[in-house]
Amino acid sequence: MQTSNAFPHSLRAVIFDMDGLLIDTEKHLVRCWCQAAQEMGFDMQRRHALHIRSLAGKYAAPYLKSELGEDFDYFRVRERRKELVAQALAEYGLERKKGALELLKWLKEKGIRTAVATATDEERATRYLTEIGVLSYLDRVVCATMVENGKPMPDVYLYACRQLGERPQDCLALEDSPNGVLSAWRAGCGVVMVPDLTQPDEEIRPILTGLAPDLSAVIPLIEQMGQ
């Protein structure tokens, strides 16, 4: 487990989260989690949905049971949430986050490899990334379904590093949620947080390599840190 938040000495790759970072979907996920649970009689609030951003089901399910009752059916509620999110995306479309394409083009020009490490399954991740026009700029798409433990455990980032053929200490992760930040940090990557729905808290802030208001601001951050 990494104990340093230093910027990579030799930046070889940048690994992106997807929801809330490349795509503006977290607002739909949070709202639809609450709606799906409430439809089934559970008083799920925004704070619960924020807590489980990027959190693997094996960790999210017991957390929600502890908060909402032992009869909370995580997988049934999640299926309904998926339906509601699909409806929202059909209505509003997928929105690419500010600076995403600019940053990916810049990294490609610099010869820095790129990957996505997401909690979303491979079929939807590939479809979403294609729809927002960034898939061709990515060297790898890695999903939590490909590893034993999802975020906040380090597996998905370690696997992404192996797929890229790079050491974690030579990779920079970009994340918007605390669970994602912890996953990347535990893998040994430097982590820049680009907040979406929440700012870093007292637990997360000390382990960050950097903080950026949007993805376009990551470019000067990388230049300033030594790339």
Side-chain angles (χ1 to χ4, degrees):
M1 182 180 294
Q2 171 163 319
T3 56
S4 169
N5 60 357
F7 188 79
H9 291 299
S10 174
L11 181 59
R12 304 277 300 170
V14 174
I15 305 173
F16 293 74
D17 177 48
M18 189 181 75
D19 289 291
L21 186 92
L22 286 172
I23 310 175
D24 193 11
T25 43
E26 287 286 11
K27 60 188 179 185
H28 299 305
L29 287 161
V30 166
R31 177 179 58 79
C32 293
W33 263 117
C34 295
Q35 181 180 336
Q38 289 165 10
E39 285 178 0
M40 297 180 193
F42 298 99
D43 188 27
M44 187 171 182
Q45 300 297 314
R46 179 177 172 83
R47 65 182 178 87
H48 298 123
L50 289 173
H51 184 85
I52 63 170
R53 284 171 298 159
S54 291
L55 192 62
K58 66 193 293 185
Y59 310 118
Y63 163 76
L64 291 172
K65 282 180 179 289
S66 72
E67 291 285 313
L68 303 172
E70 281 300 316
D71 58 340
F72 183 83
D73 190 335
Y74 172 82
F75 296 100
R76 181 164 168 255
V77 174
R78 187 177 67 174
E79 285 308 306
R80 175 58 178 153
R81 186 269 294 166
K82 288 180 181 179
E83 293 175 0
L84 292 169
V85 169
Q87 291 171 15
L89 294 180
E91 180 177 356
Y92 299 108
L94 281 173
E95 303 167 77
R96 188 173 64 219
K97 294 283 279 188
K98 178 183 177 182
L101 194 56
E102 178 186 354
L103 175 56
L104 283 163
K105 286 181 176 179
W106 184 82
L107 292 169
K108 197 172 188 69
E109 289 169 1
K110 293 289 184 180
I112 299 171
R113 305 195 73 201
T114 55
V116 156
T118 178
T120 301
D121 64 84
E122 188 175 8
E123 186 277 324
R124 281 186 299 149
T126 302
R127 176 159 45 89
Y128 290 175
L129 294 166
T130 300
E131 189 169 331
I132 65 166
V134 303
L135 185 65
S136 62
Y137 293 94
L138 295 162
D139 294 296
R140 293 287 188 275
V141 176
V142 174
C143 305
T145 51
M146 300 174 181
V147 296
E148 182 178 355
N149 301 302
K151 299 176 184 180
M153 295 298 107
D155 303 36
V156 68
Y157 273 99
L158 291 171
Y159 187 59
C161 292
R162 289 197 298 272
Q163 288 291 300
L164 291 168
E166 305 294 350
R167 302 181 305 168
Q169 59 265 41
D170 295 329
C171 297
L172 185 68
L174 304 180
E175 277 282 355
D176 69 287
S177 72
N179 290 313
V181 168
L182 283 169
S183 175
W185 180 76
R186 286 168 173 166
C189 302
V191 194
V192 169
M193 188 173 184
V194 186
D196 178 32
L197 300 181
T198 57
Q199 294 296 316
D201 59 21
E202 292 179 0
E203 177 190 11
I204 293 301
R205 188 175 288 273
I207 66 174
L208 293 176
T209 304
L211 187 65
D214 56 57
L215 288 171
S216 61
V218 174
I219 296 173
L221 193 61
I222 290 175
E223 291 178 324
Q224 175 187 344
M225 288 177 168
Q227 175 55 36

